């Protein structure tokens, strides 16, 4: 079964940092692009970042450019999202998902991890 | 950036009804559109990709159509488990974008 499991969310103060992880299983991780998306409380979905299968290409939404860094470790079947300079507006459930433009879809999605930025 | 506008934003319908949700793109995206269903407290679930390809395991009462700038998601006969929020997503170019969502509720 294809599965994605996020971890690393929590409460952080404005300006703080957090590192999210997404562990993949059930498929050949190294052959897929991986994405992060988020959903603020009661709001819609927002794409955050994508990393190609080889990590050669990394793209970001304007809202997180320069503050967030996506990376992956194909030996550990894990994708990461390093978040620095966190703001209240970054408060959201963060989802990792398999795919991007190259696959034409996000499937599956992880269960999500909640990041709360508050003093 | 490509903007996606879903209509309606809210839809009230009864079990057994046929409903259609529309997603309009601010510029042409060929057939690079996906549809997702999200239930409260859960992650989105892929229903349709490439505008009209039904994801494996998704009931055949769901169908997608369109190309260019106008797309539709149709549910042929609503079942109780279909009441949820539906999102379209364009994967034609980065940044990837989502529609604002359509909340489908029981009448």
């Amino acid at each position: 079964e294809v599965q994605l499991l996020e971890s690393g969310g929590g409460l952080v103060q404005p300006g703080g940092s957090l590192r999210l992880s997404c562990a993949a299983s059930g498929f050949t991780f190294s052959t897929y692009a991986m994405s992060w998306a988020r959903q603020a409380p009661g709001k819609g979905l927002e794409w955050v970042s994508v990393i190609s299968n080889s990590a050669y290409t990394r793209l970001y939404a304007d809202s997180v450019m320069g503050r967030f860094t996506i990376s992956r470790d194909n030996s550990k079947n894990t994708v990461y999202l390093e978040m620095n300079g966190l703001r209240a507006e970054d408060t959201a459930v963060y989802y990792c998902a398999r795919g991007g433009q190259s696959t034409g879809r996000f499937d599956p999605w992880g269960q999500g991890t909640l990041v709360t930025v508050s003093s | 950036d490509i903007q996606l506008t879903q209509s309606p934003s809210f839809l009230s319908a009864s079990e057994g009804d046929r409903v259609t949700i529309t997603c309009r793109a601010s510029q042409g995206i060929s057939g690079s559109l996906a549809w997702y269903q999200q239930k409260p407290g859960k992650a989105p679930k892929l229903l349709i990709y490439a505008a009209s390809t039904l994801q494996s395991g998704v009931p055949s009462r769901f169908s997608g159509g369109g190309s260019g700038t106008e797309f539709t998601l149709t549910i042929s006969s609503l079942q109780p488990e279909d009441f949820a929020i539906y999102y379209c997503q364009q994967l034609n170019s980065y940044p990837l974008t989502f529609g604002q969502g359509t909340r489908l509720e029981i009448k």
Side-chain angles (χ1 to χ4, degrees):
Chain A
E1 182 187 4
V2 176
Q3 283 191 324
L4 300 172
L5 185 62
E6 300 98 334
S7 60
L11 175 64
V12 61
Q13 293 188 339
S17 299
L18 215 52
R19 187 200 202 199
L20 306 183
S21 299
C22 171
S25 61
F27 65 100
T28 306
F29 180 75
S30 62
T31 64
Y32 283 89
M34 297 294 295
S35 293
W36 287 94
R38 67 184 180 182
Q39 188 169 37
K43 302 298 185 182
L45 298 165
E46 179 188 17
W47 171 76
V48 172
S49 183
V50 65
I51 186 167
S52 63
N53 65 315
S54 65
Y56 182 80
T57 299
R58 310 179 197 209
L59 299 172
Y60 302 91
D62 285 348
S63 57
V64 307
M65 184 88 68
R67 301 186 298 123
F68 289 13
T69 301
I70 192 170
S71 62
R72 65 190 294 160
D73 185 337
N74 285 346
S75 69
K76 295 182 178 179
N77 289 352
T78 301
V79 61
Y80 305 96
L81 188 67
E82 185 80 35
M83 305 185 295
N84 299 313
L86 283 162
R87 307 167 179 165
E89 55 265 35
D90 295 318
T91 294
V93 174
Y94 284 74
Y95 296 101
C96 68
R98 184 178 70 173
Q101 184 187 35
S102 58
T103 62
R105 57 198 182 269
F106 283 6
D107 179 66
W109 297 57
Q111 86 289 351
T113 187
L114 176 63
V115 173
T116 303
V117 184
S118 175
S119 55
Chain B
D1 298 3
I2 297 173
Q3 295 184 0
L4 298 180
T5 303
Q6 291 181 229
S7 59
S9 294
F10 176 84
L11 183 55
S12 180
S14 301
E15 187 177 335
D17 284 353
R18 177 185 180 92
V19 297
T20 297
I21 300 168
T22 299
C23 178
R24 290 186 173 86
S26 59
Q27 61 191 79
I29 58 170
S30 186
S32 301
L33 190 100
W35 289 97
Y36 302 91
Q37 176 193 67
Q38 188 178 34
K39 296 182 178 180
K42 299 294 186 182
K45 172 190 171 184
L46 176 68
L47 299 175
I48 302 281
Y49 63 96
S52 60
T53 301
L54 189 68
Q55 171 69 356
S56 176
V58 174
S60 59
R61 63 181 180 272
F62 291 91
S63 63
S67 67
T69 61
E70 187 158 329
F71 300 86
T72 58
L73 173 70
T74 298
I75 310 172
S76 60
S77 178
L78 279 171
Q79 299 302 300
E81 60 268 29
D82 300 336
F83 293 95
I85 299 176
Y86 293 84
Y87 294 94
C88 58
Q89 179 198 28
Q90 68 82 18
L91 297 106
N92 183 72
S93 61
Y94 287 102
L96 305 183
T97 48
F98 292 90
Q100 82 278 13
T102 294
R103 181 182 298 271
L104 177 55
E105 293 198 350
I106 301 172
K107 183 181 288 184

